[in-house]
Amino acid sequence: MPQATHLHTLSGMNALRTRSALGLVALGLIASATAVRAEPVPDSIARDLPGLMTIYRDLHANPELSYQEVRSAGVMAKAAREAGFTVTEKVGQTGVVAVLRNGEGPTVLIRADMDGLPVVEQTGLAFASKKRGVSTAGVESGIMHACGHDTHMTAWIETARLMAKRKAEWAGTLVMIGQPAEEVGTGAVSMLQDGLYSRFPKPDYTLAFHDSADLPAGQVGAAVGWALANVDSVDILVKGLGGHGAYPQATKDPIVLSSAIVMKLQTLVSREMSPLDPAVVTVGSFHAGAKHNIISDQAKLELTVRSYSDETRAHLLEGIKRIARGEAIASGLPDNLMPEVSVKDPYTRATWNSPEFTQEAVADLKTRMGDGNVVITPSVMGGEDFGEFRRADEDHIKSVIFWVGGADPQKIAAAKAGGPALPSLHSPFWAPQADKVIASGSEALTLTALRLMPKR
Ligand SMILES: [Zn+2]
Ligand SMILES: [Zn+2]
């Protein structure tokens, strides 16, 4: 898409056909004055970066758990209000909605998530979090921005400021939201259920980014189509008949049965799914027994199950139930001791990047940020609830979530050469090169929003 200068020239050309010569001269003067004033977006960001890093360090040192993001929401609301947005707080419990109306044009929604994780930070950073808190589920722990949502919030603030300062360059409505509780998978739905699309303008486009522990710092990526997966949590309570460890013939050992279930579950993906249809079944927790010589009467398994399509998800969940029951029958358990399989509700639904829209966004950013700085990335099996904002009107809304690299390129190279593995997102050691994430994140969001809302 053309840059601001060309857009103004275009509106001047339209005026040639429809307006008086005097009007044309006036328009031309305004256009050239605006074009001269407009500073390239990266230059604005570079100038703002020291101040943004102060905001980032403050947010990093003060993380909040899901649905407790009161301080973070306050920082975002204040920044948006000062930039000239109309701000509503407490949407979907702790969410923020900031609206900037700027004439006729499309509506673009830009989202940042706000919550930290129950992780004890071990980065050793000078501004590392020392916070502790109690989750809404009642669990006490340390708190850390181990998923980088502090970089998202900081870039969101910069994007809001840039868009407000550049109102002469675009037309439409900008809806910027601070979303609570991404980490528990329900914050997006909370905002939608609290009237995000009825109390506020409904978007034509939804944009977000997430920092990446895989991409080199500052590089922007996007997956075309499925970006992130359906995420289900499944509990299996395996029952048995307990007894003395020396008399197995008098028992039904739930540890042996559970082991068989764990092994058989591996065939769900490897033998029942197409090799071209991605799926994951991971048993992340297996607890049973109390002592060497006692055969337990139950075992508990906890699974994470990942997929993209609804059909694959249904097949996996049905298959888990079938395998658990089938192995119990094979072990000779009576009907009243069949395993109990419970699929947790709600689950995180897969995130879809509208393919053509994403291709256009990537192609445009390549021309603005440099060919090597913007890449198409593979889909991943992680989860995000950002996709809910598109799903709320999926025939209409076009959506993309970008990745923005946060990893030190030298450490990536060292890891590839057999050196120490890089920390992943959610690691207590995850310390992104935040200045690069914030700069590229704000740039990608601002440039994309400006392109989607051209001044006519
Ligand atoms: Zn996360
Ligand atoms: Zn995250």
Side-chain angles (χ1 to χ4, degrees):
M1 286 293 287
Q3 301 207 354
T5 336
H6 303 134
L7 286 170
H8 287 291
T9 313
L10 266 179
S11 51
M13 281 167 66
N14 288 338
L16 184 60
R17 286 179 224 112
T18 55
R19 293 172 203 233
S20 73
L22 189 64
L24 173 64
V25 170
L27 259 176
L29 282 173
I30 293 164
S32 52
T34 311
V36 168
R37 269 206 310 275
E39 178 184 43
V41 168
D43 293 0
S44 305
I45 295 170
R47 193 163 29 75
D48 296 343
L49 204 51
L52 294 171
M53 289 305 288
T54 305
I55 295 172
Y56 165 72
R57 289 188 198 103
D58 172 66
L59 290 169
H60 186 86
N62 293 284
E64 295 165 299
L65 292 170
S66 306
Y67 290 121
Q68 299 177 19
E69 311 91 335
V70 177
R71 185 183 185 279
S72 309
V75 170
M76 294 171 79
K78 182 167 179 281
R81 234 175 238 124
E82 284 172 2
F85 286 72
T86 304
V87 178
T88 309
E89 292 178 75
K90 296 185 180 161
V91 179
Q93 298 193 35
T94 46
V96 178
V97 181
V99 180
L100 190 61
R101 291 176 194 274
N102 189 25
E104 282 293 308
T107 297
V108 174
L109 179 145
I110 297 178
R111 169 271 214 173
D113 39 9
M114 305 189 291
D115 49 341
L117 283 159
V119 170
V120 178
E121 178 157 356
Q122 294 176 55
T123 58
L125 292 169
F127 52 94
S129 163
K130 296 178 183 66
K131 295 274 164 176
R132 297 191 69 79
V134 181
S135 74
T136 49
V139 180
E140 204 273 342
S141 70
I143 314 175
M144 175 187 173
H145 268 302
C147 205
H149 297 184
D150 43 2
T151 61
H152 307 174
M153 288 189 277
T154 311
W156 183 99
I157 288 172
E158 175 67 351
T159 305
R161 288 175 175 170
L162 290 174
M163 292 301 288
K165 276 187 205 147
R166 290 164 183 268
K167 275 178 87 170
E169 295 174 41
W170 58 277
T173 301
L174 184 59
V175 181
M176 301 215 35
I177 63 170
Q179 183 208 302
E182 186 281 323
E183 294 293 356
V184 294
T186 57
V189 169
S190 292
M191 292 191 82
L192 288 161
Q193 286 178 345
D194 198 11
L196 181 64
Y197 288 175
S198 54
R199 293 162 60 196
F200 308 97
K202 198 167 107 180
D204 303 296
Y205 306 101
T206 57
L207 309 176
F209 82 88
H210 201 294
D211 69 330
S212 163
D214 303 316
L215 293 180
Q219 192 176 67
V220 175
V224 177
W226 291 122
L228 295 124
N230 290 317
V231 180
D232 278 284
S233 298
V234 178
D235 289 353
I236 308 179
L237 175 63
V238 178
K239 298 172 190 173
L241 287 171
H244 198 296
Y247 303 87
Q249 73 278 14
T251 71
K252 294 289 179 195
D253 186 342
I255 292 182
V256 173
L257 168 53
S258 296
S259 302
I261 292 172
V262 170
M263 294 307 290
K264 184 73 177 174
L265 286 175
Q266 309 309 311
T267 65
L268 258 180
V269 174
S270 67
R271 302 292 84 185
E272 295 189 27
M273 307 306 307
S274 158
L276 303 178
D277 184 6
V280 176
V281 178
T282 292
V283 181
S285 162
F286 184 150
H287 284 138
K291 197 173 181 297
H292 305 72
N293 62 354
I294 300 173
I295 290 173
S296 171
D297 63 357
Q298 66 172 37
K300 287 180 181 168
L301 305 178
E302 294 181 344
L303 285 64
T304 189
V305 181
R306 312 277 171 134
S307 56
Y308 289 123
S309 70
D310 293 345
E311 297 73 32
T312 302
R313 173 176 180 263
H315 183 101
L316 294 173
L317 296 178
E318 183 281 324
I320 290 166
K321 290 176 187 161
R322 169 168 44 83
I323 286 170
R325 184 177 169 80
E327 290 297 326
I329 293 169
S331 299
L333 276 167
D335 270 356
N336 63 335
L337 292 179
M338 286 296 114
E340 289 174 16
V341 177
S342 45
V343 179
K344 299 288 179 189
D345 198 38
Y347 74 102
T348 300
R349 298 197 285 179
T351 298
W352 178 254
N353 279 350
S354 311
E356 264 180 51
F357 176 65
T358 302
Q359 302 268 25
E360 284 164 16
V362 166
D364 176 67
L365 291 179
K366 273 177 176 287
T367 67
R368 319 276 205 108
M369 299 177 74
D371 200 37
N373 293 327
V374 187
V375 293
I376 297 285
T377 52
S379 311
V380 295
M381 300 307 279
E384 244 289 351
D385 64 358
F386 175 67
E388 294 294 337
F389 297 112
R390 185 195 67 89
R391 285 180 185 261
D393 186 3
E394 60 189 354
D395 292 336
H396 177 70
I397 296 172
K398 294 194 167 51
S399 183
V400 63
I401 183 165
F402 297 110
W403 292 108
V404 177
D408 180 340
Q410 289 182 341
K411 289 186 182 161
I412 294 178
K416 275 187 185 151
L422 290 169
S424 61
L425 297 178
H426 291 200
S427 155
F429 299 101
W430 174 234
Q433 294 194 333
D435 53 344
K436 299 209 169 67
V437 178
I438 291 163
S440 286
S442 333
E443 193 177 343
L445 292 176
T446 304
L447 291 176
T448 304
L450 288 172
R451 181 177 63 87
L452 293 172
M453 297 190 284
K455 188 105 183 170
R456 295 194 193 282

